[in-house]
Amino acid sequence: STDTSEDVVDQPDESEIADTSIPMDFGLRTVDGVDIPDLDYSGNLTDCWNWDDKNGANYLIRTIDEPEFKYPESDGDELYDQYLHVYHYAKGDDGEVLLLRDLTDFIKDCMFDLIMNHIDAVMLSDIDNDNYGEIVFGYRLACTSDVSPSTQKVLLFENGDKYILRGEAVAIGYGGDYELGNEFETAPEGFLEHAEAYWEANKVEYALEDNEF
């Protein structure tokens, strides 16, 4: 199994984060592609999630690019690159749109099976009662020649801040461990437990029964 991945997260300027007084709405909704406002994103749309909080109308957009084929320089193996993206936008009452956080992850130079997918589940909460929603989501990616655990990452975004768990999914009973991002050391109470609960609920990639004959 070979895995070459790296998550890249851009840090916004704190002065750009809106501070409005819109009441919190815990109703997390999916948005069809045709109904997404004019927001920039790269790749093929996986899904879009919408909720309202102190920043206004929030949109979490998740996408995956098409694999990029690399012609071998000689008679070597064919190689592929692929990119995954997540965008968190907020649109205030005044119509101003801010990109609060975006993330790009990727696999490069893959000569085996390239696995890249967003985990279906998305969770919204306001654990610290600050009227900014915490949105939790995850994804998996790997370059592999066997049924081994993919790299799995679970993230919590809140008002431009990012918290992450990095580890492996569970494949036929193996894997499942993860490491905490340093940002959890100063996270509000409950954030880590919330992210860990998401991990536990969504860690199985291939179950034992999937491979029974």
Side-chain angles (χ1 to χ4, degrees):
S1 174
T2 304
D3 175 27
T4 54
S5 68
E6 179 180 350
D7 56 288
V8 181
V9 184
D10 292 337
Q11 175 65 47
D13 184 340
E14 291 185 1
S15 65
E16 295 177 352
I17 298 177
D19 184 12
T20 61
S21 56
I22 300 172
M24 182 70 180
D25 172 20
F26 288 93
L28 183 63
R29 304 167 288 273
T30 56
V31 180
D32 293 334
V34 294
D35 297 324
I36 298 175
D38 187 19
L39 304 174
D40 292 332
Y41 61 87
S42 175
N44 298 318
L45 180 69
T46 298
D47 53 25
C48 176
W49 299 83
N50 167 240
W51 71 98
D52 297 325
D53 68 11
K54 199 172 179 180
N55 277 322
N58 293 263
Y59 296 89
L60 185 82
I61 300 174
R62 305 195 295 175
T63 70
I64 296 177
D65 289 353
E66 292 290 332
E68 300 176 7
F69 172 69
K70 290 184 174 180
Y71 287 97
E73 295 181 0
S74 58
D75 293 331
D77 295 310
E78 297 177 353
L79 302 176
Y80 289 87
D81 297 348
Q82 194 168 20
Y83 293 80
L84 171 151
H85 309 278
V86 181
Y87 306 85
H88 177 196
Y89 285 97
K91 184 176 183 180
D93 273 350
D94 58 0
E96 182 181 7
V97 176
L98 294 175
L99 177 61
L100 297 182
R101 173 73 68 171
D102 67 319
L103 173 152
T104 295
D105 210 335
F106 53 82
I107 295 287
K108 288 189 175 183
D109 298 330
C110 180
M111 67 176 67
F112 303 111
D113 293 329
L114 202 162
I115 296 171
M116 184 169 291
N117 56 75
H118 293 283
I119 297 172
D120 289 341
V122 173
M123 294 168 45
L124 177 68
S125 60
D126 185 19
I127 296 169
D128 54 355
N129 296 312
D130 63 355
N131 285 333
Y132 293 110
E134 303 110 19
I135 193 80
V136 182
F137 58 92
Y139 59 87
R140 302 186 185 111
L141 64 176
C143 176
T144 183
S145 58
D146 54 28
V147 184
S148 55
S150 296
T151 293
Q152 177 164 303
K153 301 181 184 182
V154 168
L155 293 105
L156 183 154
F157 282 0
E158 188 211 37
N159 192 32
D161 293 329
K162 176 268 304 181
Y163 306 85
I164 186 169
L165 305 177
R166 298 180 180 91
E168 288 185 331
V170 174
I172 55 173
Y174 296 95
D177 295 333
Y178 57 85
E179 296 182 353
L180 313 182
N182 293 334
E183 57 274 9
F184 276 112
E185 295 177 2
T186 56
E189 184 178 355
F191 276 29
L192 175 58
E193 291 78 7
H194 197 52
E196 289 181 326
Y198 180 99
W199 183 285
E200 289 300 318
N202 296 281
K203 66 182 180 181
V204 177
E205 183 175 15
Y206 303 112
L208 285 168
E209 55 268 23
D210 294 340
N211 291 270
E212 290 180 353
F213 298 97

